[in-house]
Amino acid sequence: MSDSENLVEVGPASEFEDGDAEIIQVGRTEVGVIRAEGEFYAIRNQCPHDGGPVCKGNVQKELVGEFKGTGKRVDQQYSDTDIISCPWHGWSFELETGIHIGDDRIRVPTYDVVVDDGIVYVDKGD
């Protein structure tokens, strides 16, 4: 397990369903711990667009499309990438990296999650 001084306890992993988010304090920062497809992610609960509570948004798979030409339908499908969308204005970010799905220059900070003995922790880093 990581250095226990850097870990912030979230709670039992068994209490999380897919799509659930638990908002915790990591230092002076609000962080959302989210379970998606059985994996845990931690992302700052502040959208860089307008400060919205991004972790209160919907978790889903990223919808991607390919333009096939004028007058043709866009070929769309869902990828394997889990995203979260800010409920205020719909800005969407990859859960794993925090990168905005439309502009990789925009990012929400992410944190490592550790599950040890059935308990979920966020590693606040150095």
Side-chain angles (χ1 to χ4, degrees):
M1 185 160 102
S2 297
D3 181 4
S4 61
E5 291 179 11
N6 287 334
L7 299 180
V8 177
E9 185 173 333
V10 180
S14 61
E15 292 184 5
F16 280 83
E17 300 280 332
D18 275 345
D20 283 353
E22 179 76 27
I23 309 298
I24 64 165
Q25 286 294 130
V26 176
R28 293 187 295 166
T29 304
E30 242 185 32
V31 173
V33 179
I34 299 153
R35 182 176 176 172
E37 301 286 321
E39 296 291 323
F40 287 94
Y41 303 94
I43 189 167
R44 182 181 291 167
N45 189 32
Q46 183 180 21
C47 184
H49 169 240
D50 202 17
V54 69
C55 297
K56 295 193 185 258
N58 290 327
V59 174
Q60 59 201 26
K61 294 293 186 187
E62 179 182 18
L63 180 64
V64 293
E66 183 179 342
F67 180 67
K68 296 289 189 175
T70 303
K72 296 184 180 177
R73 289 184 178 260
V74 173
D75 183 20
Q76 296 180 332
Q77 67 274 346
Y78 288 96
S79 74
D80 291 332
T81 303
D82 292 305
I83 64 169
I84 191 162
S85 300
C86 182
W88 283 10
H89 302 106
W91 281 37
S92 299
F93 305 89
E94 293 179 6
L95 279 176
E96 186 172 0
T97 64
I99 294 173
H100 185 276
I101 65 168
D103 187 342
D104 63 7
R105 296 171 300 170
I106 302 169
R107 187 173 187 273
V108 176
T110 58
Y111 300 80
D112 290 333
V113 178
V114 176
V115 179
D116 185 53
D117 202 23
I119 304 297
V120 180
Y121 300 89
V122 171
D123 188 337
K124 60 184 178 180
D126 297 330

